[in-house]
């Protein structure tokens, strides 16, 4: 069954069309990889799904669990289960990570009509998750991502994923800026969250990340469209032959 | 450039206010002479206007226009309303000193239940005490300013507080100004003396009782901090949205002392805190933090003059303004380093967060340095909320207003965190949150 259906999506940024009628279906419980060269529109796609301002959708639609995703504000999308792991998570000085996590979790629960977490339950849950991800407790007292290394920032994204339990995770270039050890820790965290109730979209330029997070389906993007889809072997094929073969297809 | 001044009759109106007030002003003879001289000094300029450098951004002649008549002595009904208002700001365990419309309200104050080592008298009693030859000094200040002069002329009352040498107060002293009158003015003048080696927290609040509005407040505090003493002074200006509050504070800091001042202004149509600091003893630390939370057409001004008169003192000024709608915030900071004041370390930073295109923030840092071995600096920023931070928070499920509120809270939090007392800091954070919730 499809969790996310993107049909003929056309998107402009400042008068320039980036996505030219992109069609893509993400199945429930599957890990999809989206690969493609720089400038193919991968990050634009992730931003449009999450609802980042500055993108003008001029055609097409996105259905999430059958609902019109584009009609929702970013916070509504989050409450419905959409989670974007940022390529470059921002630093928010003055907002303690714990405060941020609790405010966000309770805002999502409130939007869904669920009870807010009590403090002890919340603390217990965060402690559990941060232990699994080797995130020290004193990091959670600091401002969000302030003074965090690249690896710590990505782990903090995975921590949020584990806490919010979204049904769709979009990982935007999760491997950028990470060494192998940091990548492995982050990828292990992501793999632990794989479940039949959760789909993942792993956006990456390089095949390397897909050695750690092995996808069920691979899509190739070029010039604002999905030009080829296949199994995980497609990623290896790309690694060997490069993206040039798709430049004309697009 | 020819700057047009607002023409009005503030001086003639003020003189009739002064003559009408004569029967209400404590102190005869020498005190009355000082009042007359002070009023003459005020009359030379009238309400300060943009041609007076210190008032360039807060032109009272345009913003306030007139000097209102003195509020009457509060009667029983007004005191009852004041009592209700006080309940919302009273700190459990704190000794309260309450001024209603500029007059000490003995029944609402804990004058007889002060901690040991602390004394407090009403200014009007001290000014009326013919045996005290120095009583007139209570109306004199080193700094010259039209609004200080007007206060000296018209001060009806205030508190004169002494914390004895070596006394360590565990709970705060609370000075509460309550307005109950409308379309009337109050002038109070208080003196606080923190003895050598003493330690105290002074919380000052400006509030209004139900039904009060469009009043003018002019409160002066003269604060002396002895050698080796520490004072944490927290002020909250929460006047009605149509009120005018011009507050002046004058500090003299002894050697190896610590003064921390925090002010938050969220009320008032026109508000100003002007604070004058003289670092008079070596090795002292001054920390000033200010927050303006303004909306609609509110005008808020924090003006600081720090005089490093001796070597080896540090001063830190940190000011944050959050401005919505057509609000206008002013920060003026002057650091003076006298020729003898070597090894001075003075820094100031002012930052404004503009939530609307029509909001205005003015910053005027000034350094006057006459010594050569000093470290002084200033910085200023003004800008909107960061869109990338807002989107991050929204993408995590925070609705837009809540995301903004969290970022605003973080912005002012860096100033509020300077309040060391946990309970007091929480109180100020809650007051800032109230302001943000009123936005949503």
């Amino acid at each position: 069954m499809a969790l996310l259906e993107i049909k003929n999506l056309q998107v402009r940024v400042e008068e320039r069309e980036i996505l030219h009628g992109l069609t893509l279906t993400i199945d429930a419980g599957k890990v999809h990889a989206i690969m493609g060269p720089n400038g193919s529109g991968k990050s634009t796609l992730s931003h449009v799904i999450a609802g980042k301002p500055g993108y003008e959708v001029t055609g097409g639609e996105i259905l999430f669990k059958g609902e019109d995703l584009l009609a929702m504000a970013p916070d509504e999308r989050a409450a419905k289960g959409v989670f974007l792991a940022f390529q470059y998570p921002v630093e928010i000085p003055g907002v303690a990570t714990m405060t941020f996590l609790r405010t966000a979790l309770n805002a999502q629960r409130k939007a869904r009509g669920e009870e807010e977490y009590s403090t002890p339950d919340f603390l217990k849950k965060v402690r559990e998750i941060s232990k699994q991800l080797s995130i020290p407790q004193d990091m959670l007292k600091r401002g969000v991502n302030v003074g965090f290394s690249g690896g710590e920032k990505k782990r903090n994204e995975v921590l949020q994923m584990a806490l919010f339990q979204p049904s769709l995770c979009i990982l935007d270039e999760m491997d950028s800026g990470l060494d192998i050890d940091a990548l492995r820790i982050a990828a292990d965290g992501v793999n632990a969250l794989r479940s039949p109730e959760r789909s993942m979209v792993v956006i990456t330029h390089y095949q390397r990340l897909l050695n750690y997070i092995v996808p069920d389906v691979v899509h190739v993007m070029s010039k604002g469209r999905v030009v080829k889809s296949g199994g995980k072997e497609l990623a290896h094929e790309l690694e060997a032959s490069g993206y040039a073969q798709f430049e004309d297809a697009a | 450039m020819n700057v047009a001044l607002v023409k009005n009759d503030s001086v003639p109106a003020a003189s009739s206010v002064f003559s009408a007030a004569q029967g209400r002003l404590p102190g005869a003879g020498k005190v009355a002479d000082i009042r007359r001289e002070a009023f003459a000094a005020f009359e030379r300029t009238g309400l300060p206007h943009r041609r007076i450098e210190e008032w360039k951004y807060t032109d009272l002649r345009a913003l306030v226009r007139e000097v209102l008549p003195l509020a009457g002595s509060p009667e029983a009904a007004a005191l009852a309303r004041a009592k209700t208002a006080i309940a919302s700001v009273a700190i459990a365990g704190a000794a309260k000193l309450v001024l209603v419309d500029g007059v000490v309200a003995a029944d609402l104050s804990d004058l007889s239940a002060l901690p040991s080592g602390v004394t407090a008298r009403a200014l009007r009693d001290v000014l009326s005490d013919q045996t005290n030859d120095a009583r007139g000094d209570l109306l004199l200040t080193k700094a010259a300013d039209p609004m200080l002069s007007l206060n000296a002329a018209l001060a009806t009352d205030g508190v004169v507080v002494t914390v004895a040498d070596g006394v360590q107060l565990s709970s705060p002293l609370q000075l509460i100004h309550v307005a109950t009158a409308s379309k009337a003015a109050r002038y109070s003048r208080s003196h606080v003396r923190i003895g050598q080696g003493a330690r105290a927290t002074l919380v000052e609040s400006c509030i209004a009782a139900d039904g009060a509005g469009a009043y003018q407040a002019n409160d002066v505090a003269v604060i002396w901090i002895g050698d080796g003493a520490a004072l944490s002074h927290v002020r909250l200006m929460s006047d009605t949205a149509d009120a005018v509050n011009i507050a002046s504070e004058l500090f003299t800091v002894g050697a190896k002392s610590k003064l921390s001042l925090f002010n938050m202004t969220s009320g008032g149509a026109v508000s100003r805190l002007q604070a004058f600091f003289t670092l008079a003893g070596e090795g002292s630390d001054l920390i000033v933090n200010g927050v303006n939370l303004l909306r609609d057409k509110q005008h808020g001004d924090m003006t600081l003059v720090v005089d490093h008169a001796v070597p080896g003192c540090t001063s830190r000024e940190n000011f944050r303004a959050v401005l919505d709608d057509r609000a206008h915030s002013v920060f003026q900071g002057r650091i003076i380093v006298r020729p003898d004041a070597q090894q001075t370390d003075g820094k100031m930073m002012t930052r404004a967060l503009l939530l609307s295109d029509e909001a205005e923030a003015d910053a005027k840092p000034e350094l006057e340095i006459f010594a050569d071995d000093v470290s002084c600096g200033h910085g200023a920023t003004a800008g909107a909320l960061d869109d990338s931070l807002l989107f991050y928070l929204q993408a995590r499920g925070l609705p837009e207003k809540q995301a903004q509120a969290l970022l605003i809270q973080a912005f002012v939090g860096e100033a509020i965190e300077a309040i060391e007392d946990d309970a007091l800091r929480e109180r100020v954070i809650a007051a800032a949150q109230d302001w943000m919730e009123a936005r949503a």
Side-chain angles (χ1 to χ4, degrees):
Chain A
M1 202 201 97
L3 178 74
L4 184 76
E5 293 168 89
I6 303 172
K7 296 176 189 166
N8 194 29
L9 188 67
Q10 287 156 282
V11 174
R12 283 169 175 270
V13 178
E14 289 169 0
E15 301 303 306
R16 200 166 74 90
E17 192 169 273
I18 308 286
L19 300 182
H20 316 285
L22 179 140
T23 296
L24 177 68
T25 300
I26 305 294
D27 304 317
K30 299 286 192 221
V31 174
H32 290 239
I34 296 181
M35 302 186 69
N38 290 332
S40 57
K42 303 187 301 291
S43 282
T44 295
L45 177 63
S46 71
H47 291 158
V48 171
I49 294 172
K52 187 173 180 175
Y55 296 88
E56 190 195 350
V57 177
T58 53
E61 61 175 349
I62 305 181
L63 298 178
F64 180 66
K65 296 175 185 170
E67 289 184 81
D68 179 5
L69 193 69
L70 295 173
M72 299 177 203
D75 52 294
E76 295 175 83
R77 301 181 195 199
K80 294 268 182 193
V82 175
F83 182 93
L84 169 66
F86 284 61
Q87 182 179 3
Y88 302 110
V90 295
E91 297 187 9
I92 314 180
V95 178
T97 305
M98 272 303 205
T99 309
F100 158 69
L101 293 175
R102 190 164 173 208
T103 309
L105 181 62
N106 283 333
Q108 292 190 19
R109 294 180 68 87
K110 193 178 162 199
R112 291 194 293 261
E114 297 167 7
E115 285 231 347
E116 296 193 354
Y117 263 98
S118 71
T119 307
D121 287 352
F122 169 79
L123 289 175
K124 198 176 150 215
K125 213 170 155 70
V126 172
R127 261 190 222 117
E128 225 171 74
I129 300 167
S130 53
K131 203 175 160 195
Q132 285 162 11
L133 290 164
S134 324
I135 294 175
Q137 292 297 309
D138 69 325
M139 233 171 85
L140 301 176
K141 290 179 193 148
R142 279 191 257 158
V144 176
N145 291 325
V146 176
F148 288 20
S149 69
E152 286 170 334
K153 284 180 185 169
K154 296 296 167 82
R155 261 186 276 163
N156 192 17
E157 296 289 284
V158 180
L159 180 149
Q160 293 171 46
M161 228 188 280
L163 183 65
F164 303 150
Q165 296 283 326
S167 45
L168 175 67
C169 302
I170 302 157
L171 314 178
D172 189 6
E173 308 273 6
M174 202 182 82
D175 47 340
S176 67
L178 295 196
D179 61 31
I180 287 294
D181 292 331
L183 179 57
R184 187 173 287 131
I185 296 172
D188 286 349
V190 171
N191 285 327
L193 292 170
R194 292 179 80 145
S195 103
E197 283 81 47
R198 184 169 301 120
S199 305
M200 296 192 184
V201 177
V202 182
I203 293 174
T204 183
H205 184 96
Y206 301 105
Q207 199 267 336
R208 182 180 76 153
L209 175 63
L210 304 181
N211 291 336
Y212 298 94
I213 303 172
V214 180
D216 300 304
V217 187
V218 174
H219 307 277
V220 181
M221 264 186 84
S222 179
K223 295 181 180 168
R225 287 192 187 90
V226 173
V227 292
K228 186 164 185 176
S229 300
K232 61 185 173 203
E233 65 287 348
L234 182 55
H236 295 284
E237 214 176 284
L238 278 170
E239 183 77 350
S241 56
Y243 290 115
Q245 55 174 316
F246 297 107
E247 298 285 307
D248 298 332
Chain B
M1 196 175 72
N2 191 8
V3 181
L5 284 177
V6 173
K7 295 248 192 294
N8 63 23
D9 303 326
S10 70
V11 173
S15 66
S16 63
V17 167
F18 185 55
S19 33
Q22 287 309 311
R24 295 261 335 271
L25 302 175
K30 200 162 75 175
V31 172
D33 292 345
I34 289 170
R35 288 186 186 275
R36 268 192 300 277
E37 282 163 29
F39 189 74
F42 170 77
E43 271 192 313
R44 283 194 282 277
T45 54
L47 282 172
H49 49 80
R50 69 183 66 176
R51 290 234 188 111
I52 297 176
E53 186 58 28
E54 290 80 3
W55 292 86
K56 183 176 170 175
Y57 300 104
T58 299
D59 182 338
L60 293 186
R61 207 174 276 190
L63 290 166
V64 174
R65 307 184 75 89
E66 57 177 339
V67 173
L68 292 175
L70 213 55
S73 286
E75 289 164 9
L79 290 171
R81 277 156 58 222
K83 190 176 181 182
T84 309
I86 291 164
S88 65
V89 295
I91 298 171
K96 291 189 297 296
L97 302 165
V98 178
L99 295 166
V100 176
D101 296 334
V103 178
V104 173
D107 291 347
L108 302 179
S109 303
D110 300 322
L111 286 167
S112 55
L114 293 169
S116 81
V118 181
T119 61
R121 292 181 71 189
L123 179 85
R124 60 166 46 245
D125 294 341
V126 183
L127 289 178
S128 307
D129 180 357
Q130 300 291 336
T131 64
N132 183 348
D133 284 340
R135 64 191 189 280
D137 294 349
L138 294 174
L139 295 179
L140 297 175
T141 50
K142 211 166 67 176
D145 175 88
M147 297 308 280
L148 273 172
S149 298
L150 190 60
N151 180 284
L154 289 166
T156 45
D157 206 352
V159 287
V160 180
V161 179
T162 306
V163 178
D165 290 354
V167 169
Q168 314 282 308
L169 294 180
S170 54
S171 54
L173 295 172
Q174 215 180 348
L175 177 57
I176 306 173
H177 302 274
V178 192
T180 69
S182 292
K183 296 206 170 75
R186 73 160 187 256
Y187 296 84
S188 79
R189 181 170 288 233
S190 295
H191 286 257
V192 179
R193 189 178 184 91
I194 309 294
Q196 289 185 10
R199 178 176 294 269
T201 299
L202 175 66
V203 182
E204 188 174 359
S205 305
C206 300
I207 57 171
D210 267 357
Y215 54 88
Q216 292 180 346
N218 180 329
D219 302 308
V220 171
V222 180
I223 298 178
W224 186 89
I225 296 150
D227 292 349
L231 174 67
S232 170
H233 183 29
V234 174
R235 306 182 83 255
L236 297 169
M237 296 174 78
S238 317
D239 293 285
T240 60
D242 53 4
V244 174
N245 190 336
I246 307 297
S248 307
E249 303 216 311
L250 302 105
F251 298 88
T252 305
V253 183
K256 294 190 170 62
S257 301
K258 184 176 174 182
L259 167 62
S260 172
L261 168 65
F262 174 89
N263 181 73
M264 185 160 88
T265 299
S266 56
V270 178
S271 306
R272 165 148 152 155
L273 169 64
Q274 46 180 1
F276 305 86
F277 306 86
T278 303
L279 296 169
E282 295 184 26
S284 289
D285 295 324
L286 168 65
I287 299 164
V288 185
N289 282 275
V291 172
N292 273 1
L293 300 173
L294 306 174
R295 60 166 59 96
D296 300 325
K297 289 173 75 177
Q298 283 182 293
H299 179 109
D301 175 339
M302 188 175 203
T303 293
L304 306 173
V305 179
V306 178
D307 187 347
H308 283 266
V310 295
C313 293
T314 65
S315 60
R316 288 288 177 276
E317 298 163 34
N318 179 26
F319 179 72
R320 303 285 160 115
V322 181
L323 306 172
D324 208 348
D325 308 318
R326 297 176 64 191
H328 185 181
S329 178
V330 177
F331 173 82
Q332 301 186 105
R334 182 190 296 167
I335 298 175
I336 304 161
V337 182
R338 303 281 170 191
D340 290 341
Q342 303 293 1
Q343 278 97 47
T344 287
D345 179 356
K347 306 248 171 4
M348 64 182 134
M349 182 70 201
T350 169
R351 293 182 64 193
L353 183 54
L354 306 168
L355 301 174
S356 140
D357 290 342
E358 291 173 295
E360 181 178 336
D362 291 306
K364 192 175 73 175
E366 293 175 283
L367 300 175
E368 294 178 12
I369 301 172
F370 302 102
D372 51 17
D373 180 16
V374 301
S375 163
C376 285
H378 63 83
T381 68
L385 283 171
D386 186 326
D387 286 336
S388 65
L389 304 192
L390 267 180
F391 174 63
Y392 189 82
L393 294 175
Q394 285 180 270
R396 294 300 178 253
L398 272 69
E400 190 178 7
K401 288 282 181 189
Q402 202 185 347
Q404 289 179 348
L406 194 62
L407 293 178
I408 296 167
Q409 203 182 312
F411 178 80
V412 298
E414 289 176 53
I416 296 175
E417 271 165 26
I419 301 171
E420 284 176 12
D421 183 296
D422 292 340
L424 204 47
R425 189 175 58 247
E426 290 304 320
R427 210 169 240 279
V428 173
I429 289 171
Q433 275 167 346
D434 285 348
W435 184 85
M436 282 176 272
E437 267 158 37
R439 273 192 88 222

